[in-house]
Amino acid sequence: MDSPQHTLPIGPFQEGIWLFWRLNPASPAYNMPEIFYFDGDFDAKAAEFAFNETIRRHESLRTRFHETESGVMQVIDRDPEPVPVNVVDLRGLSAVMHTERLESVLDAEANVPFDLAAGPAVRLTAIQVSESRTALVLVAHHIVCDGTSMAIVLHEFGELYKSARRETPPDLGPIAPGYGTFVEEQLATLADGGLEEESAYWRERLAGVTGSALPGTGHTAAHQPGALEVHAESTVLADSLAEAVSAYARRARSTPFAVLLCAMEVMIAAATGDGDVAVGTATSGRTPRFAGTVGMLANVVVARSRIDIAKSFATVLEAVSLDLMDAIDHQGLPFSRMVAELHEAGLERGVELVRTMFASGATGGLNLGEGTLSEVAARTVDGPFDLSVACYVESSGIALDWEYALRTYSPEAARGYCAAYQEILALLLDQPDAAMDSLGLTEVLARVHPSARAAAPSPGAVSPAAEPGGPADAALTSVEAAVAAIWSEVLGVPIEAPHDDFFESGGHSMLASVAVASVRKKVSTTATLRMLFDHPQLRDFSSRLSTGSA
């Protein structure tokens, strides 16, 4: 008889998201909300059937995560209990209270954090706005659902809802291979050394890299891991500009996305004066076999290009397009493993590979077969990036969703940069063969007046716990000294006192995994991520290690 549960290791594409959640369990940073207004006769029972049948079809939606001493495991429930649809009734409220309450509920439902250890990492809320209007809030955690997966979930939920209303079998194909199969094959490839070429490419390509970003009010992400509020802006390019993007992409034998990405990199180079630009973008690990699989199949790669604004946009676009294609050709290496590879090779020390994400957004919507549906933008918080941009290139036009971290940008700067991007894009496409430094790009950016960058603590700054004469002045033991040397190497700052804190010294989830792996290799095999998260101070952490010597 089959076990009611199936257990397997966490997938490589999930590792970074898990580590972020482990450090910030109360953060909704990786929530993926989809909100719709439905005008018509809403059937709550049909919605509950469709929701649970969608969960039954896709094992990632019935997965929870269990941390063990040997690693994080995925626990898949083969026969889950039905998940209720949360129903909120706002009918009967006064007009003023109704508006305030609706906005509050939408915001809350989109941003309630998931407990990944308890699962499932998906929920559906139906808000009864009036007798004829219902708001639907479907939220999944990014660790079990990427953008393409969300489009699959919405499509299947709609088909199952329609079949329940008609009392006929759903018009759906066979269930795709489960995410566990994808993970097992990915882990086998890594174990067999099948990604050595990708590893060598990224070690060479990203040597000395630092993630690029537009100037802001100061970059303190590493020192404020909980400061994740964002300012969101959505822009739709004018029809003439959208057509210019597509037309120039065709002439240049490139893609609209590459044109948009190149304009972003040019903007960063013009704003910072640094022509070595590196931004993150998302790629898909889907093969035709896993086209219908729901799970985290998206990887992050770093697009690094040399942007010389003394050259023409046409010349730079050609190079950026080639750089992007090279990155995609080597997308097989998971981002978390890429970070570890760079640390192991000594090529990256205490810097962030990605501060700006610029990626294509997945398209697809909900169809319930009756009534009228309209999508609503959700106010969310983002993950650990200064700026995240999702581009939607469709036949009807081009839209961009911007999310600026408020730890780095003011809302005024965010709005200014959105407007400046469109103006710069238009200038570049209007004169693609002219030297870019003759187009007035810096004058456009000068109209954006972000606050002065806040000075980050200098690497040699003395923390309050390390004041002379305090307990932090005590000499380090041999184990503490060994751990301190590893932390210093990983973080790129001195770790000298017993009460120095890994995360307060600039550590974050990706660096934590690297540090623990090195401690296990060089000091004690008993080191675990849980130990570091729970005991981030040097002496506290070191005292829990079992070693052969004092």
Side-chain angles (χ1 to χ4, degrees):
M1 183 175 181
D2 288 341
S3 167
Q5 295 178 339
H6 175 55
T7 302
L8 74 156
I10 192 171
F13 288 166
Q14 299 171 305
E15 291 171 342
I17 300 174
W18 164 263
L19 289 170
F20 181 90
W21 178 84
R22 183 63 178 83
L23 184 59
N24 305 275
S27 170
Y30 282 103
N31 284 14
M32 299 178 65
E34 295 284 345
I35 302 178
F36 299 89
Y37 282 131
F38 175 75
D39 293 300
D41 181 18
F42 181 70
D43 189 332
K45 289 185 177 179
E48 188 156 307
F49 164 80
F51 181 55
N52 279 282
E53 188 66 10
T54 304
I55 291 174
R56 188 192 68 79
R57 286 175 59 85
H58 299 288
E59 62 184 37
S60 64
L61 303 181
R62 39 190 165 86
T63 297
R64 56 189 174 86
F65 297 83
H66 178 56
E67 192 172 31
T68 70
E69 292 298 325
S70 59
V72 181
M73 306 299 291
Q74 300 186 72
V75 182
I76 302 168
D77 195 339
R78 297 183 189 272
D79 187 21
E81 292 293 324
V83 179
V85 174
N86 182 29
V87 178
V88 179
D89 192 349
L90 301 184
R91 296 172 298 179
L93 297 178
S94 67
V96 174
M97 290 185 62
H98 186 280
T99 300
E100 293 179 352
R101 178 65 175 151
L102 176 58
E103 292 179 355
S104 175
V105 173
L106 289 175
D107 184 66
E109 292 300 323
N111 290 285
V112 171
F114 286 100
D115 183 350
L116 299 184
V122 62
R123 62 173 175 264
L124 175 63
T125 300
I127 306 169
Q128 296 175 316
V129 181
S130 68
E131 294 299 333
S132 60
R133 168 166 278 204
T134 304
L136 297 176
V137 186
L138 177 66
V139 190
H141 196 280
H142 203 26
I143 200 169
V144 300
C145 190
D146 58 19
T148 301
S149 296
M150 181 58 82
I152 295 169
V153 169
L154 289 172
H155 169 71
E156 293 194 0
F157 173 81
E159 291 299 312
L160 289 162
Y161 178 90
K162 288 185 285 187
S163 72
R165 292 281 284 171
R166 295 190 302 255
E167 298 183 350
T168 59
D171 185 19
L172 292 174
I175 298 174
Y179 185 62
T181 302
F182 176 83
V183 169
E184 288 169 347
E185 292 184 6
Q186 189 179 33
L187 291 173
T189 299
L190 288 167
D192 291 344
L195 297 176
E196 286 301 321
E197 180 182 343
E198 283 84 351
S199 297
Y201 169 83
W202 289 115
R203 283 195 300 269
E204 178 181 354
R205 184 66 181 163
L206 299 182
V209 74
T210 299
S212 303
L214 293 166
T217 56
H219 180 59
T220 57
H223 301 279
Q224 298 180 19
L228 298 170
E229 290 293 327
V230 304
H231 176 84
E233 290 280 335
S234 293
T235 57
V236 178
L237 300 188
D239 290 345
S240 58
L241 183 55
E243 175 54 33
V245 170
S246 299
Y248 189 72
R250 289 192 295 269
R251 291 200 304 273
R253 297 187 178 182
S254 186
T255 65
F257 176 76
V259 171
L260 297 170
L261 171 65
C262 187
M264 186 73 208
E265 294 190 350
V266 167
M267 182 173 168
I268 291 174
T272 62
D274 185 355
D276 186 3
V277 178
V279 303
T281 192
T283 65
S284 176
R286 294 176 186 272
T287 60
R289 182 183 178 206
F290 294 103
T293 299
V294 169
M296 181 53 190
L297 289 84
N299 193 22
V300 173
V301 296
V302 180
R304 185 183 189 183
S305 296
R306 181 66 192 174
I307 308 296
D308 184 353
I309 63 173
K311 296 181 179 180
S312 69
F313 181 67
T315 299
V316 171
L317 174 62
E318 182 178 359
V320 168
S321 298
L322 292 173
D323 293 336
L324 180 60
M325 285 189 286
D326 280 347
I328 294 172
D329 283 343
H330 296 87
Q331 65 176 302
L333 185 67
F335 182 72
S336 60
R337 306 298 174 89
M338 185 194 305
V339 174
E341 287 269 355
L342 294 178
H343 278 278
E344 187 70 23
L347 299 176
E348 191 258 332
R349 290 284 182 263
V351 302
E352 290 171 276
L353 287 178
V354 178
R355 292 176 60 189
T356 301
M357 273 293 294
F358 197 93
S360 294
T363 58
L366 180 62
N367 181 358
L368 298 183
E370 55 187 277
T372 303
L373 274 168
S374 55
E375 192 166 0
V376 181
R379 190 200 74 82
T380 60
V381 296
D382 201 11
F385 306 117
D386 288 2
L387 172 59
S388 180
V389 187
C391 306
Y392 300 89
V393 180
E394 303 182 51
S395 58
S396 57
I398 297 176
L400 299 98
D401 288 342
W402 308 72
E403 290 187 332
Y404 292 84
L406 290 178
R407 64 177 179 266
T408 305
Y409 304 100
S410 68
E412 295 75 20
R415 288 188 287 269
Y417 278 134
C418 285
Y421 175 80
Q422 295 180 77
E423 189 171 351
I424 287 172
L425 178 62
L427 289 169
L428 296 172
L429 294 175
D430 185 54
Q431 301 184 63
D433 297 315
M436 293 185 291
D437 58 4
S438 69
L439 301 179
L441 307 186
T442 54
E443 287 78 5
V444 173
L445 290 164
R447 297 199 295 269
V448 183
H449 295 292
S451 302
R453 297 173 65 86
S458 64
V462 179
S463 66
E467 292 175 354
D473 260 356
L476 300 183
T477 66
S478 59
V479 172
E480 290 168 356
V483 173
I486 292 170
W487 286 12
S488 296
E489 183 181 34
V490 170
L491 298 173
V493 300
I495 300 294
E496 300 170 338
H499 299 288
D500 282 350
D501 187 293
F502 182 86
F503 298 108
E504 291 180 359
S505 300
H508 50 73
S509 55
M510 286 292 189
L511 296 181
S513 64
V514 175
V516 168
S518 187
V519 171
R520 286 174 67 95
K521 181 178 180 180
K522 299 178 181 179
V523 181
S524 171
T525 58
T526 62
T528 66
L529 277 171
R530 180 187 299 175
M531 188 186 296
L532 180 56
F533 284 126
D534 293 341
H535 307 283
Q537 291 190 353
L538 176 63
R539 175 152 291 170
D540 199 14
F541 174 80
S542 301
S543 68
R544 285 162 170 76
L545 300 175
S546 296
T547 62
S549 59

